[in-house]
Amino acid sequence: MLYTDEMLNSMKKVELSRESRIGQVPRRMTAEEKDILLAENHPDYIKSAFTTLSVGANKGQKVPCALADLLQGKSRILGKKIDLKTIKYESDVLIIGGGGSGASAALEAYNAGCKVVMVTKLRIGDANTMMAEGGIQAADKENDSPATHYLDAFGGGHFTNKPELLKKLVYKAPEAIKWLNDMGVMFDKDENGVMATTPGGGTSRNRMHACADYSGAEIMRVLRDEVWNDNIEVVEFTSAIEILKDDYGNAAGAILLNMETGEVSIAKAKTVVICTGGAGRLHYQDFPTSNHYGATADGLVLAYRAGAVLRDADSIQYHPTGVAYPAQMRGALVTEKVRSIGAMLVNVNGEAFMNPLECRDVTASSIIRECRRGNGVKTPLGDAIWLDSPMIDMIHGEGYLEKKLPGMLRMYQKMGIDMRKEPILIYPTLHYQNGGVDVNADSMTTTVNNLYVAGEAAGGVHGRNRLMGNSLLDVIVFGRNAGQYAAARAKEIPMPKKLNFNHVKEFDKEIKAAGVEYKELSPKLLPNYNTIKTL
């Protein structure tokens, strides 16, 4: 039986309270209430989950323990004989990563007339971009503006966003949507061809552009096809395991590892763009994750060992609504779109306990607090909260949920659950790396020349909390941005003559001088589920 008697009794309470909750949305919290809520309940405030770095550009700053083990981990090339004279791949621009930001960067660099090589440890498209569901933000309607978008995102990021990056994100957003639409992305549109937009948590306008509930997959489909159509060289199942530098300390390529054969090879380039995504598969604090299999913080490790500075590396986003039950789906993303079109968060007694469109960190913390108060639904996997999805068709009419959330509806139907008729169980899931490598407005790192970072691996755009729809926007705007600037730089400089990895040796010396013991081989590349307690 899928549900226990206790769970079925709770579901009945949700059903009985549904009509009375229609139109009775709880008020939004005050700023003071939010601060208290976060301090008492958000996982980022658990001191034991973080440690202080002993070496590197961020020495003395705190990061999650699992990330620290990798940043201060043992390089995969230490003790190995690496032939730097035999070059297997040579390009103007080397792209590391095959997701949305990597593909966008590759397309822009190629269109600028540069030779581009993209390396990715899985297949092109195996990335968090592919898994994004709810949509992409852009202020392109008459009642909206990039300035309003800026204020929403700045407040949502607790006013810690890097202003020049956020400004570029919101002002380039309409252009990004047009770029995608012109390439063939099938955005939701009305009968007149006008793009449909919906609200998101923390937004003051309806600016979410979506492709049903498979927005990321649709965007990645088009980007991948464009990369293939342009015959850009893509090296799959190949990981970058160290950045290479020239005699002046500039990024000049990478050491690569073939994931199938174990072969080590050298890629030389005038500029390097890191687009490796996030860190969800590190399972901080034993949380499940919505991230793809390769999200193991590789880009942070590569950049940090090369001398780059990290920003807000201690800030992690836990998406409020990950699947909590059944076990086969645990951690999978339940898009914020479910709440934006009417579903309420409801406790074991059938009570709506918060406004469903608060920012993500506030919503996740509210769910955690409600469960700590004893108001969660007891499942075989732990406490959870109901997301009352049948409200959607009650509000908008029969068939609306299936039209707007076809992928999610079918995902649940495979488990024997019809989310049109019964609520679904959710709990926060590890979702996004708010921080990352510190970059300038040109996407170049602040301390290593010719090394660019875009997408989730870069920090500063979102501050300490990201709004829904700004991640897909980030990978497009800053993927393109990094590709454009990396290409322009590549045209100005000669191909490096000599390559070295002296910074790796120096980092190893610093580790030993600080008395740090290696706990991990890094970059991690792939997760090891023999060590994850929750899975």
Side-chain angles (χ1 to χ4, degrees), residues 16 71 191 198 224 309 423 454 515:
L16 291 173
L71 294 175
E191 61 275 10
T198 57
R224 181 176 54 197
V309 175

Side-chain angles (χ1 to χ4, degrees), residues 129-141:
T129 302
M130 180 68 79
M131 304 175 78
E133 297 172 350
I136 175 171
Q137 285 202 48
D140 58 1
K141 294 295 178 72

Side-chain angles (χ1 to χ4, degrees), residues 54 68-69 72-74 511-512 514-520:
S54 300
D69 289 345
Q72 299 178 155
K74 183 178 180 180
I511 287 279
K512 291 174 179 176
V516 176
E517 293 185 8
Y518 287 130
K519 295 181 180 179
E520 290 269 11

Side-chain angles (χ1 to χ4, degrees), residues 277-352:
R281 290 288 167 173
L282 299 185
H283 292 281
Y284 297 137
Q285 302 185 50
D286 290 332
F287 269 81
T289 187
S290 62
N291 282 195
H292 82 103
Y293 195 61
T296 50
D298 296 355
L300 300 194
V301 173
L302 296 177
Y304 193 68
R305 204 138 54 206
V309 175
L310 304 184
R311 180 188 178 100
D312 298 321
D314 61 328
S315 179
I316 312 300
Q317 183 169 89
Y318 297 83
H319 195 288
T321 53
V323 178
Y325 187 83
Q328 297 94 323
M329 298 164 61
R330 188 166 184 254
L333 182 64
V334 176
T335 173
E336 195 166 302
K337 188 174 183 178
V338 180
R339 287 176 282 135
S340 75
I341 59 177
M344 277 186 174
L345 294 162
V346 183
N347 66 21
V348 68
N349 298 314
E351 302 162 337

Side-chain angles (χ1 to χ4, degrees), residues 422-463:
E422 51 192 292
I424 55 179
L425 288 160
I426 58 87
Y427 193 79
T429 183
L430 183 56
H431 185 60
Y432 196 82
Q433 178 179 276
N434 290 325
V437 181
D438 193 22
V439 296
N440 296 317
D442 60 2
S443 293
M444 188 189 289
T445 65
T446 55
T447 53
V448 183
N449 287 333
N450 302 343
L451 181 62
Y452 298 77
V453 186
E456 195 171 347
V461 183
H462 309 290

Side-chain angles (χ1 to χ4, degrees), residues 193-460:
V194 177
M195 289 193 193
T197 51
T198 57
T203 63
S204 60
R205 300 289 188 276
N206 291 5
R207 69 171 72 96
M208 208 67 57
H209 300 65
C211 313
D213 61 345
Y214 47 85
S215 303
E218 170 62 7
I219 289 171
M220 195 67 243
R221 174 190 70 83
V222 170
L223 292 175
R224 181 176 54 197
D225 283 353
E226 288 297 311
V227 169
W228 284 339
N229 290 341
D230 287 339
N231 292 315
I232 294 171
E233 185 173 5
V234 180
V235 186
E236 296 182 313
F237 301 109
T238 300
S239 295
I241 55 174
E242 290 295 350
I243 298 297
L244 289 170
K245 292 186 177 183
D246 61 19
D247 289 342
Y248 302 98
N250 304 318
I255 300 175
L256 309 179
L257 174 69
N258 186 299
M259 299 292 285
E260 297 177 300
T261 66
E263 176 194 5
V264 173
S265 59
I266 303 301
K268 182 166 72 168
K270 296 179 180 180
T271 58
V272 180
V273 186
I274 291 176
C275 301
T276 52
R281 290 288 167 173
L282 299 185
H283 292 281
Y284 297 137
Q285 302 185 50
D286 290 332
F287 269 81
T289 187
S290 62
N291 282 195
H292 82 103
Y293 195 61
T296 50
D298 296 355
L300 300 194
V301 173
L302 296 177
Y304 193 68
R305 204 138 54 206
V309 175
L310 304 184
R311 180 188 178 100
D312 298 321
D314 61 328
S315 179
I316 312 300
Q317 183 169 89
Y318 297 83
H319 195 288
T321 53
V323 178
Y325 187 83
Q328 297 94 323
M329 298 164 61
R330 188 166 184 254
L333 182 64
V334 176
T335 173
E336 195 166 302
K337 188 174 183 178
V338 180
R339 287 176 282 135
S340 75
I341 59 177
M344 277 186 174
L345 294 162
V346 183
N347 66 21
V348 68
N349 298 314
E351 302 162 337
F353 57 92
M354 66 166 296
N355 187 294
L357 289 180
E358 294 281 11
C359 293
R360 286 181 172 176
D361 55 351
V362 172
T363 307
S365 298
S366 296
I367 292 168
I368 292 170
R369 180 177 65 180
E370 196 69 9
C371 290
R372 286 176 174 174
R373 287 174 169 174
N375 296 326
V377 182
K378 304 294 181 184
T379 83
L381 303 177
D383 287 355
I385 290 294
W386 294 112
L387 182 56
D388 197 8
S389 50
M391 292 184 70
I392 295 172
D393 279 356
M394 285 185 67
I395 294 170
H396 301 285
E398 187 175 347
Y400 192 83
L401 186 150
E402 183 171 10
K403 178 182 178 182
K404 295 296 183 180
L405 304 165
M408 185 158 298
L409 175 63
R410 285 157 181 74
M411 179 177 74
Y412 272 100
Q413 284 177 329
K414 290 178 181 179
M415 296 294 109
I417 297 170
D418 189 343
M419 62 185 291
R420 296 168 297 186
K421 299 177 181 178
E422 51 192 292
I424 55 179
L425 288 160
I426 58 87
Y427 193 79
T429 183
L430 183 56
H431 185 60
Y432 196 82
Q433 178 179 276
N434 290 325
V437 181
D438 193 22
V439 296
N440 296 317
D442 60 2
S443 293
M444 188 189 289
T445 65
T446 55
T447 53
V448 183
N449 287 333
N450 302 343
L451 181 62
Y452 298 77
V453 186
E456 195 171 347

